[in-house]
Amino acid sequence: MLYFAITLQMMGQSSQTLNGKVIGTNNEPIIGATIREVGTDRGTVTNIDGDFSLTIALGSQIQISYIGYQTQTITVTNYNNMVINLEEDRQLLDEVVVVGYGTQRRINLTGAVSTISTRDLDGKPIVNVVEALQGTTPGLIIQQQNSQPGARLGIRIRGERTMNDNNPLVIVDGIVNEDIQNVNPSDIESISILKDAASTAIYGSRASNGVILITTKKGIKGKANIQYDFIHGIQTATFLPRIVDSWIYAELRNEALVNSGRNIRFTPEEIRNFRENGPNVNWMKEIYRDSAPQQTHNLSVNGGNENTSYLISAGYMDQNSLFKGDDYGHKRYNTRLNLETQVSEKLKLSTNLSYVRNQIQDHAYWTEWIIEQATRMPSIYPVKDENGNYTLPSGSNTNALARLETGGYRQNKNDALSATISAEYTILEGLSLKGMIGGKLNNDVMHENRKAIPGTGDQENRLTEDFGRTQNIIGNILLTYDKKIENHLFGFLAGYSYEGLNHKRFQTYRIDQTDYDILVGEQRDNTGNVGWAHDWTLPSILYRFTYNYKDRYMFEFNGRNDWSSRFSPKNRHGFFPSVSAAWNIAEEEFFANVKETIPFMKIRTSWGLSGNNNVMTDGSIDNYQYLAGISVLNGYNFGSAMVPIANYTVYNPDIKWETTRMFNIGTDIALLNNALRFTADYFNDKTYNILVNLPLTGLYGYGRNFPAQNAAVVGNRGWELSAEYNFKTGTVNHLISGRVSDSQNKVIDMKGTERIDGFDVNTILKEGYPMFSYYAYRWDGIFQNEQEVQAGPWLDGITPKPGDLRYIDKDGDGLVKESDDRFILGNRFPRYNYGFNYGFNWKGLDFSMLWQGVGMRSVWLRGESVEAFHNNNEGPVFDFHIDRWTPNNPNATYPRLTVGAESANNAAKSGFWIDDAAYLRLKNIQLGYTFPQNITNKLSINSLRVFTSLQNALTFTQMKGGWDPETADGSGRIYPVNRVLAFGLNVKF
């Protein structure tokens, strides 16, 4: 308890000198406590003895605050001495956390649940909420694979558990499987990340990859409050490949030709002319603008009377593309209405309504095709000639810039409408019945107009129209009962849930070939129509029981029974239980001697089952996979008519959902009056019945098109640590927090089989190793001379030369062969994901910065992203190719330069091409200023904050070639991650 004694001394009729003393626990004087007059910028702080003086008018309000205690506001109504009791700040304990089908106080949580504050969203120049979540909570792994307008970010909770769909379940205001990237960040009230069985099992067959719960803001009773937020940003590319200058390219091209037994291409005069007169063109830079704008606007109104509250919001986001060409970019329009009415003492009604419109304008090709062509072009060629015509270098079939500027466009438009209506009726004290019905409607339209480009290999005019419609109906009814008997608190929940989805899609296209030389026969037009549809239902029963004794011992049981129409009747039912318990040691009598130092310490553990019914070997399950499907295709010509044929799909009547057994143990600790907080967790999950394609006997009649089987088992274990410290120095409030987590999966059972996938990059599924591990030769240095070459070993069928890569002969037979000598060499999964941030505020000034990174990750880059003169092309050549092997540079980091067949040895799939993609990134840095109330009052506004922010400000990495470590994988044909410098303001009326 805080004892606050105040004595008043008269100083005239309109003001008084308020003398006081601030005392904390054990009557200790509080040094640096803030006393401020509400509505003004006048205030003071206590001295070394806890004393203060403040001149203040009678009837004014003062606010007393200090870290570790609840802030309290007092009205000065008389001049007698005051004694003010301020409670210790129990925010850590009393914070309400959104969990599955309800809320709980944080002190009562038995599961692994992280919450993300809205302060992590404010002021960041982001185009969707996922960007803002990166690095904010342990176990939440987000990879920004690129920043192309409309691109989706990868989201994982505690790593990967299956070869199939690892995406978490997203629920927004009760709407299941909502698109998280459609949510307006300004509308969000809270975000909960559910990680273990104790928190996810109540969502049953769709929760094994974790759950993200988003709750949007509600209205606040009282007069209308208006808020407007605006951010304008300038995007630039963070990383672009570092192409060598044209004269260096010419020299290295000559060297590669000579090494390959060919004649040089460039004379010394031509090389000198490149240096003096050019051209010297980086084609990758030519397809991008130097910068592109983006902006967001958000307007909200909330208020209400004694019985009704409302929130109305509207948002607009416009992100332009860095690609040159047409008006490429992404526009999003958000509207929302949240309404709540207390109809009577026992009945409350509420509704949530949201509408989102996405419009994405893009080029008519695939982005990887654009970037591939630009990367392969050497710097000796201009993109356009002196007449302004697009050039077509030898060996190329197109011009990347021409595709962007004249190759047509693709428009995607999506309309998403979500709505829920709910009613809650209090039957008796502690007993309530709540019903909710809602749904969402998505309409997708795609229009593509691809145009032929004269003088290139792009000679196809193609018009495509695509229409899709998805309807989702959701409903549930829940009965809850909470009863306290002396020190025993019991909670019960039972309910029924239903979800049904219907999806239809139709596509039609027409191709008109204008270059008849490339056609077969005289066919001039090609048209096609395709359509498909599916639906499914998922009725469920769910229940929960909780027990709490004195906030000291806590127990919880969750369960859900699902019946999924995606499986055969005999396999539709699944039961997903969880049990969890927690012990608040700080409430024990034996802890009394240290409770002043450690006011809170809880140990919790959980075990349970969650499922995954949204899986298949390609990442999604065919809804009727347990039945044989029939499709009608064009078959063969019979006379002058095309005769259709029926194609039967493979099926397995015994498939069922995957099940993940989840175990978690963790602790939460608070120190220094709850100002310093720690959380630690260890988890060990195992997923059974994973659907994989395993070879069948030769009697199976579908060749290599094997049906999926519930045959694999994968384990995933890891840990999480986080800490947060709030403290004060003088009048400056500080916040420091950090978090780190790790997870690692391992294939436990594949029925003794192995599966090798990929073409340029090979991965393997093998018992005892992480999923999709890289599978390649292990390189063992560079042959330095002919003697080393003769000593071998050699790749089977290839004779190396000095300067070529040497590989390890695994079986020792003298030859390096694919069948016997490949190794497992890491994987693409990020490990040791971490983030830390620091922020302060002082007299209206606020500052924050967030650092985010990955401690371990391997990426296998192939093709033109790393190989000089890839595939006998003229390019590319990067800066790291300069340090190539020559007799005078034996310690080079790159082998000798070659072209064509001479490159076969070095281009083999080996660990040489696997790079370290660990990185540290200054994800966001922000500086803001909130104007004092004496200024905002004159402007007739409640508050005004202006700020500047920089997203993706700095990146530290050892990745070569100029590739971004977060996006790099495979071919490198990826739109770059953006750096965004932004300015904004927040105004409240």
Side-chain angles (χ1 to χ4, degrees):
M1 308 295 287
L2 177 65
Y3 176 78
F4 180 52
I6 302 176
T7 61
L8 295 176
Q9 185 176 16
M10 296 294 296
M11 286 190 65
Q13 297 182 354
S14 61
S15 64
Q16 313 291 335
T17 297
L18 182 64
N19 296 317
K21 186 180 186 69
V22 178
I23 301 173
T25 307
N26 299 325
N27 293 325
E28 296 277 345
I30 298 296
I31 305 170
T34 299
I35 296 88
R36 185 178 65 86
E37 181 182 357
V38 177
T40 73
D41 58 355
R42 292 191 294 273
T44 185
V45 295
T46 55
N47 61 22
I48 193 170
D49 298 315
D51 298 324
F52 74 93
S53 295
L54 180 66
T55 301
I56 189 170
L58 187 68
S60 300
Q61 290 183 318
I62 57 172
Q63 187 180 79
I64 305 98
S65 61
Y66 187 72
I67 293 293
Y69 296 92
Q70 294 181 5
T71 298
Q72 190 169 132
T73 302
I74 303 166
T75 301
V76 180
T77 59
N78 57 62
Y79 307 121
N80 299 324
N81 292 343
M82 298 181 190
V83 176
I84 309 300
N85 294 324
L86 296 183
E87 300 287 341
E88 289 185 6
D89 188 358
R90 293 174 57 85
Q91 181 181 1
L92 173 68
L93 311 181
D94 295 330
E95 178 187 357
V96 175
V97 177
V98 179
V99 295
Y101 297 98
T103 59
Q104 290 184 8
R105 291 169 63 215
R106 182 171 290 280
I107 190 176
N108 295 336
L109 286 176
T110 57
V113 179
S114 293
T115 57
I116 298 174
S117 170
T118 54
R119 72 179 178 221
D120 294 315
L121 311 179
D122 294 340
K124 293 183 178 179
I126 55 174
V127 295
N128 65 69
V129 65
V130 184
E131 288 184 69
L133 302 183
Q134 192 171 28
T136 59
T137 191
L140 182 63
I141 304 167
I142 294 175
Q143 288 184 272
Q144 188 171 358
Q145 286 123 350
N146 69 76
S147 294
Q148 187 169 4
R152 309 192 68 81
L153 282 73
I155 309 175
R156 296 290 184 268
I157 296 177
R158 290 185 165 180
E160 307 207 353
R161 302 167 179 83
T162 172
M163 295 87 169
N164 303 302
D165 186 356
N166 284 278
N167 292 310
L169 179 68
V170 177
I171 302 174
V172 181
D173 288 338
I175 299 291
V176 182
N177 276 331
E178 189 69 289
D179 187 349
I180 189 172
Q181 300 195 157
N182 270 347
V183 182
N184 186 353
S186 294
D187 286 343
I188 294 176
E189 177 69 28
S190 68
I191 301 176
S192 295
I193 311 297
L194 314 185
K195 306 175 186 178
D196 67 339
S199 55
T200 64
I202 201 164
Y203 289 107
S205 62
R206 293 178 290 181
S208 63
N209 297 317
V211 181
I212 299 177
L213 294 179
I214 297 178
T215 303
T216 60
K217 296 175 181 177
K218 302 296 188 292
I220 300 174
K221 295 178 181 179
K223 69 174 185 178
N225 296 288
I226 302 173
Q227 179 170 336
Y228 171 67
D229 304 314
F230 165 71
I231 301 177
H232 178 81
I234 300 297
Q235 309 167 77
T236 56
T238 53
F239 285 88
L240 289 176
R242 296 189 290 267
I243 306 294
V244 299
D245 293 318
S246 57
W247 57 92
I248 298 176
Y249 166 81
E251 292 172 346
L252 297 183
R253 179 69 174 177
N254 280 351
E255 182 179 314
L257 290 168
V258 171
N259 288 342
S260 304
R262 305 185 188 184
N263 297 325
I264 65 170
R265 166 148 179 219
F266 301 100
T267 65
E269 291 76 16
E270 289 174 314
I271 295 174
R272 184 170 56 252
N273 189 59
F274 283 139
R275 182 188 295 270
E276 295 176 355
N277 303 311
N280 184 29
V281 180
N282 185 328
W283 279 60
M284 283 293 286
K285 292 183 178 179
E286 290 296 320
I287 64 175
Y288 296 114
R289 306 178 194 274
D290 293 332
S291 64
Q294 70 177 49
Q295 59 180 317
T296 58
H297 302 262
N298 293 286
L299 179 66
S300 66
V301 182
N302 76 80
N305 55 31
E306 183 178 350
N307 297 320
T308 302
S309 62
Y310 64 88
L311 177 137
I312 304 172
S313 70
Y316 171 69
M317 185 279 298
D318 183 8
Q319 181 191 17
N320 286 28
S321 175
L322 282 172
F323 274 139
K324 293 180 179 178
D326 205 347
D327 185 22
Y328 303 138
H330 178 199
K331 292 181 174 65
R332 186 181 66 232
Y333 306 84
N334 292 80
T335 58
R336 175 172 295 277
L337 169 64
N338 290 348
L339 184 65
E340 190 173 280
T341 301
Q342 191 73 41
V343 178
S344 66
E345 183 179 350
K346 292 189 173 184
L347 179 62
K348 180 171 67 175
L349 301 178
S350 60
T351 182
N352 295 337
L353 178 66
S354 72
Y355 167 73
V356 184
R357 174 70 180 269
N358 284 283
Q359 295 180 183
I360 301 174
Q361 177 98 346
D362 205 354
H363 53 81
Y365 291 82
W366 303 112
T367 292
E368 55 265 33
W369 294 1
I370 303 290
I371 297 176
E372 171 198 25
Q373 291 296 324
T375 305
R376 292 183 178 185
M377 288 301 102
S379 49
I380 61 172
Y381 297 114
V383 179
K384 295 182 179 180
D385 61 23
E386 60 275 8
N387 297 319
N389 299 315
Y390 297 104
T391 60
L392 189 65
S394 62
S396 175
N397 65 350
T398 191
N399 182 302
L401 185 60
R403 281 181 168 177
L404 290 172
E405 294 184 334
T406 66
Y409 61 91
R410 182 187 304 116
Q411 292 176 340
N412 285 279
K413 296 180 181 179
N414 169 264
D415 295 285
L417 177 66
S418 299
T420 62
I421 299 175
S422 61
E424 183 174 3
Y425 183 76
T426 302
I427 303 172
L428 299 170
E429 182 180 358
L431 179 64
S432 64
L433 182 67
K434 183 176 182 178
M436 185 271 283
I437 186 169
K440 58 182 180 179
L441 175 64
N442 279 278
N443 280 328
D444 296 288
V445 178
M446 191 276 285
H447 168 76
E448 179 184 277
N449 185 3
R450 184 180 299 172
K451 299 179 181 179
I453 304 174
T456 73
D458 296 321
Q459 292 298 304
E460 180 181 276
N461 288 305
R462 180 186 178 108
L463 183 65
T464 304
E465 300 285 349
D466 188 289
F467 308 90
R469 181 182 177 89
T470 303
Q471 295 173 287
N472 197 2
I473 301 298
I474 300 168
N476 59 59
I477 185 167
L478 305 172
L479 183 68
T480 60
Y481 182 57
D482 296 295
K483 181 67 175 178
K484 187 173 184 179
I485 304 175
E486 295 182 347
N487 294 318
H488 306 272
L489 179 62
F490 301 90
F492 301 90
L493 179 147
Y496 171 80
S497 173
Y498 173 85
E499 184 175 0
L501 180 142
N502 176 268
H503 174 77
K504 296 180 180 179
R505 183 166 293 277
F506 173 76
Q507 184 181 103
T508 182
Y509 65 88
R510 175 188 177 97
I511 299 175
D512 176 21
Q513 302 286 175
T514 58
D515 186 349
Y516 306 124
D517 292 338
I518 66 173
L519 298 178
V520 177
E522 293 298 322
Q523 181 180 355
R524 297 185 56 176
D525 296 314
N526 184 7
T527 62
N529 303 304
V530 61
W532 59 95
H534 68 259
D535 54 20
W536 53 262
T537 59
L538 184 70
S540 310
I541 295 174
L542 53 103
Y543 27 88
R544 175 164 56 219
F545 167 75
T546 61
Y547 170 74
N548 182 322
Y549 175 71
K550 286 187 173 181
D551 286 342
R552 183 183 303 172
Y553 309 116
M554 288 145 279
F555 170 83
E556 183 171 316
F557 169 78
N558 286 278
R560 186 176 181 121
N561 292 71
D562 280 341
W563 288 265
S564 174
S565 67
R566 289 179 164 179
F567 305 101
S568 66
K570 66 179 181 179
N571 289 325
R572 284 181 180 171
H573 174 253
F575 173 53
F576 304 94
S578 75
V579 290
S580 57
W583 177 27
N584 186 359
I585 304 174
E587 295 298 320
E588 296 287 356
E589 293 182 2
F590 64 77
F591 207 79
N593 292 333
V594 295
K595 189 170 183 180
E596 183 178 336
T597 305
I598 309 175
F600 182 71
M601 176 182 285
K602 182 172 70 174
I603 297 175
R604 48 188 165 73
T605 187
S606 66
W607 178 95
L609 304 176
S610 291
N612 187 356
N613 73 357
N614 193 34
V615 293
M616 184 52 185
T617 49
D618 65 351
S620 61
I621 190 166
D622 294 332
N623 287 280
Y624 312 107
Q625 181 76 19
Y626 65 92
L627 299 172
I630 303 175
S631 58
V632 179
L633 306 173
N634 290 333
Y636 57 91
N637 285 315
F638 187 79
S640 60
M642 181 69 71
V643 178
I645 60 173
N647 178 54
Y648 291 81
T649 61
V650 297
Y651 71 102
N652 180 354
D654 297 320
I655 64 166
K656 54 187 176 182
W657 43 48
E658 303 174 354
T659 300
T660 300
R661 185 199 68 196
M662 311 173 84
F663 169 78
N664 188 92
I665 185 168
T667 183
D668 305 304
I669 302 172
L671 304 170
L672 304 178
N673 292 323
N674 295 324
L676 178 60
R677 306 171 185 178
F678 294 96
T679 298
D681 282 273
Y682 168 79
F683 59 91
N684 191 345
D685 304 338
K686 186 178 288 186
T687 303
Y688 300 88
N689 297 320
I690 296 177
L691 283 164
V692 291
N693 293 113
L694 298 182
L696 299 177
T697 66
L699 297 177
Y700 181 70
Y702 279 84
R704 295 179 58 85
N705 188 18
F706 304 115
Q709 306 174 56
N710 294 102
V713 179
V714 169
N716 182 56
R717 64 176 62 184
W719 50 266
E720 301 170 355
L721 294 172
S722 65
E724 180 177 300
Y725 183 36
N726 292 271
F727 65 99
K728 199 167 190 176
T729 56
T731 58
V732 182
N733 296 298
H734 305 265
L735 171 63
I736 299 175
S737 66
R739 59 215 64 87
V740 60
S741 61
D742 183 38
S743 63
Q744 189 172 23
N745 65 71
K746 181 173 69 174
V747 178
I748 297 174
D749 188 8
M750 280 279 291
K751 305 306 179 194
T753 67
E754 298 176 358
R755 196 181 86 191
I756 301 172
D757 299 309
F759 180 70
D760 282 340
V761 173
N762 287 147
T763 61
I764 188 171
L765 292 172
K766 181 180 176 67
E767 294 173 3
Y769 294 91
M771 296 183 295
F772 304 109
S773 293
Y774 294 135
Y775 195 46
Y777 300 127
R778 189 187 296 277
W779 74 289
D780 188 30
I782 296 176
F783 289 115
Q784 295 295 328
N785 50 54
E786 192 60 38
Q787 290 77 14
E788 290 187 8
V789 170
Q790 292 306 313
W794 297 0
L795 281 177
D796 190 14
I798 298 176
T799 303
K801 294 180 180 178
D804 284 345
L805 297 176
R806 178 174 54 217
Y807 305 104
I808 292 178
D809 178 15
K810 189 177 180 180
D811 62 2
D813 65 356
L815 289 177
V816 180
K817 303 182 296 297
E818 260 195 4
S819 57
D820 303 316
D821 297 310
R822 287 186 285 181
F823 292 80
I824 292 177
L825 302 174
N827 58 76
R828 59 179 172 80
F829 302 117
R831 296 189 59 191
Y832 307 113
N833 294 270
Y834 60 89
F836 57 91
N837 58 287
Y838 167 73
F840 75 81
N841 62 73
W842 173 74
K843 293 185 178 180
L845 188 69
D846 63 86
F847 170 83
S848 66
M849 61 178 177
L850 170 64
W851 294 82
Q852 175 267 333
V854 169
M856 179 187 295
R857 181 172 179 248
S858 297
V859 296
W860 184 345
L861 287 171
R862 287 289 292 165
E864 72 278 347
S865 62
V866 286
E867 296 176 33
F869 315 113
H870 166 66
N871 257 2
N872 204 27
N873 291 295
E874 289 192 85
V877 179
F878 300 108
D879 61 349
F880 64 89
H881 292 143
I882 296 175
D883 186 27
R884 76 287 185 196
W885 185 93
T886 66
N888 297 323
N889 187 28
N891 298 317
T893 56
Y894 194 84
R896 69 188 180 107
L897 296 178
T898 54
V899 298
E902 193 73 12
S903 302
N905 182 87
N906 297 334
K909 300 167 189 174
S910 76
F912 178 79
W913 307 109
I914 298 177
D915 210 347
D916 179 7
Y919 69 91
L920 169 64
R921 175 167 278 163
L922 179 52
K923 194 66 184 177
N924 182 265
I925 185 168
Q926 185 175 157
L927 180 66
Y929 180 71
T930 302
F931 288 87
Q933 286 190 336
N934 61 340
I935 294 179
T936 56
N937 289 341
K938 294 178 181 179
L939 300 174
S940 299
I941 58 179
N942 291 335
S943 68
L944 171 63
R945 177 177 179 262
V946 295
F947 61 89
T948 182
S949 179
L950 183 60
Q951 189 83 349
N952 298 318
L954 296 170
T955 304
F956 301 93
T957 181
Q958 296 183 5
M959 277 290 295
K960 60 190 177 185
W963 299 108
D964 191 305
E966 190 174 358
T967 66
D969 198 12
S971 66
R973 302 166 187 172
I974 298 172
Y975 183 101
V977 170
N978 290 338
R979 179 182 295 109
V980 185
L981 174 62
F983 303 89
L985 58 85
N986 312 115
V987 187
K988 296 180 181 179
F989 299 91

